[in-house]
Amino acid sequence: MTSSPTPPATSNAGYSIADGNAASRNAYGWAKKTFPNRAGRPGEPAQDLDGGFSNEIRFGQERLGISSDGIGTKIEVAERLNRYDTLGYDLIAMTADDLIAAGFVPTNLSNIIDVNSLNYSVVDELMRGLHDAANFAGLAITGGEIAELGNRIGGWPGARMNFNWCSTAIGVLHPSLERPLSGVGVRAGMAVVALRSPSFRSNGFSLARRTLINLFGENWHEATYDGPDAANFSTWGDAMLAPSLIYSPGISALLDAGLPLHGIAHITGGGVADNFQRVLKGGVGAVLDNLFSPLPAMQRLCELGGISAEDAYLYWNMGNGMLLVTEEASAAAVVAQLQAGGYDAQVAGRITADPGVTLRVGAGELRYS
């Protein structure tokens, strides 16, 4: 099976990844025009992480990373289930793992909760979960705000509180690195290591929700979950709310151990192929022939909703939350270190001299250029 170089103008998710990437590039282009404002002064931005989800700012010899993100429409799942204490893991994963993907160890986070009208107990559940996630990731929550915006914020009807939740995190460049990880050192023959994701994380929910609505109607979250892992979830809502695993502690441990990393892709919006191509600089490509199998819930949605493998690997992580590029000779040690830290990891493929990403998965061979 071969995919087109870019997805169709409109997809099952209702938008084009190509259009989204173009809008992001345009927004970043405007942002870069402000970089001269801090040239030669504290807070000077670097420009060697173009295409990444975090960037570098310099304060003298100190090199910090900064990343902003939110948890998107996964919030609606929490509203439907009236359960909010896991979303903090999603919020931290989106920014902390973007930072560590560039070699910045996350240290601090600020967050903002925009609400229609304030509900104390919901905010307490959100912040309790954020506290637990911050303890797992080893960072401090050092800023935040709650803003009541009335009917500017909508969501699931009947929820105790409708809201949007975003954060900005900063981190410090790991002392073993001379410069952020950007993929410039990636060469043919290097190994690719995958870390398993046990959930959808906070991406691809528009496609997933649309599929579930088509299958089960507006109350899809109450529909009985019938995936192969049905012992873990009673409803589709339970399966979709599973929290994100935070990878930054495991990657920090690799760097602490002195294991070589040349590029890291955090698999978020844009799926496996689109995100991994961000670290393939200099015309190299990759063949990934040993990725983790798709999550049972993702596989079941593909079967029920008629979602092609090409689309699924473009919109979802398909069970692979992060891809690391390391030396071939170090791949086994990288996998062992990650497994010792409680993460599922395995060698997933190799870097090739030919450009493009080829995925050899159960559905066949998918090629993305």
Side-chain angles (χ1 to χ4, degrees):
M1 231 182 283
T2 302
S3 75
S4 57
T6 57
T10 57
S11 70
N12 287 331
Y15 69 93
S16 163
I17 287 180
D19 289 344
N21 286 345
S24 295
R25 285 192 296 270
N26 179 60
Y28 185 56
W30 283 109
K32 284 179 67 174
K33 294 179 187 295
T34 70
F35 286 9
N37 294 339
R38 302 305 304 173
R41 305 163 68 186
E44 178 179 15
Q47 299 193 42
D48 53 356
L49 286 173
D50 281 10
F53 296 110
S54 61
N55 211 334
E56 179 187 358
I57 48 178
R58 297 170 180 168
F59 292 85
Q61 297 301 307
E62 197 69 63
R63 305 176 77 168
L64 304 181
I66 186 168
S67 177
S68 298
D69 207 344
I71 52 178
T73 59
K74 188 171 184 175
I75 288 171
E76 185 186 309
V77 186
E79 291 175 339
R80 286 170 176 263
L81 298 184
N82 195 25
R83 192 165 75 237
Y84 301 94
D85 60 346
T86 64
L87 293 181
Y89 285 87
D90 302 298
L91 189 68
I92 286 183
M94 293 303 101
T95 52
D97 289 347
D98 280 349
L99 285 172
I100 201 64
F104 297 104
V105 179
T107 60
N108 299 79
L109 180 136
S110 180
N111 70 110
I112 182 167
I113 309 173
D114 293 327
V115 308
N116 59 344
S117 58
L118 185 63
N119 183 289
Y120 178 94
S121 63
V122 174
V123 174
D124 181 65
E125 290 176 51
L126 292 172
M127 293 305 299
R128 183 169 69 249
L130 189 64
H131 158 272
D132 294 345
N135 287 349
F136 179 91
L139 54 78
I141 305 164
T142 48
E145 181 177 338
I146 302 170
E148 294 189 71
L149 303 181
N151 62 11
R152 296 299 302 170
I153 300 294
W156 175 247
R160 285 183 285 161
M161 184 180 81
N162 297 141
F163 63 98
N164 188 47
W165 203 14
C166 298
S167 71
T168 293
I170 62 171
V172 60
L173 189 67
H174 193 276
S176 70
L177 300 175
E178 294 183 1
R179 60 183 61 84
L181 298 172
S182 64
V184 295
V186 173
R187 299 288 182 267
M190 289 182 174
V192 180
V193 172
L195 286 120
R196 182 179 177 274
S197 171
S199 70
F200 279 79
R201 299 178 72 75
S202 280
N203 301 101
F205 273 80
S206 293
L207 173 59
R209 287 187 302 108
R210 181 167 301 187
T211 303
L212 288 164
I213 288 172
N214 289 339
L215 290 169
F216 303 113
E218 278 299 327
N219 290 327
W220 59 262
H221 59 287
E222 299 174 349
T224 300
Y225 176 72
D226 62 348
D229 56 342
N232 299 327
F233 309 109
S234 60
T235 66
W236 272 102
D238 293 328
M240 297 301 295
L241 191 60
S244 300
L245 177 60
I246 302 171
Y247 297 113
S248 57
I251 307 303
S252 296
L254 290 177
L255 294 170
D256 290 344
L259 291 166
L261 297 177
H262 298 282
I264 302 176
H266 181 197
I267 311 304
T268 56
V272 174
D274 188 65
N275 283 283
F276 192 52
Q277 291 191 79
R278 296 173 187 271
V279 302
L280 300 178
K281 308 291 174 64
V284 298
V287 173
L288 304 178
D289 55 8
N290 191 41
L291 290 166
F292 282 101
S293 298
L295 292 181
M298 292 177 178
Q299 188 64 48
R300 188 64 178 137
L301 273 186
C302 289
E303 295 166 357
L304 293 173
I307 300 169
S308 69
E310 291 95 333
D311 280 351
Y313 277 92
L314 275 172
Y315 288 99
W316 298 332
N317 64 56
M318 297 301 280
N320 302 268
M322 192 165 272
L323 297 175
L324 320 177
V325 181
T326 186
E327 304 287 346
E328 174 71 25
S330 302
V334 167
V335 169
Q337 176 74 43
L338 289 166
Q339 291 175 342
Y343 295 91
D344 288 337
Q346 63 189 35
V347 175
R350 299 289 183 276
I351 302 299
T352 64
D354 298 324
V357 175
T358 298
L359 309 182
R360 293 175 182 157
V361 296
E365 184 170 285
L366 312 176
R367 295 177 180 174
Y368 303 87
S369 60

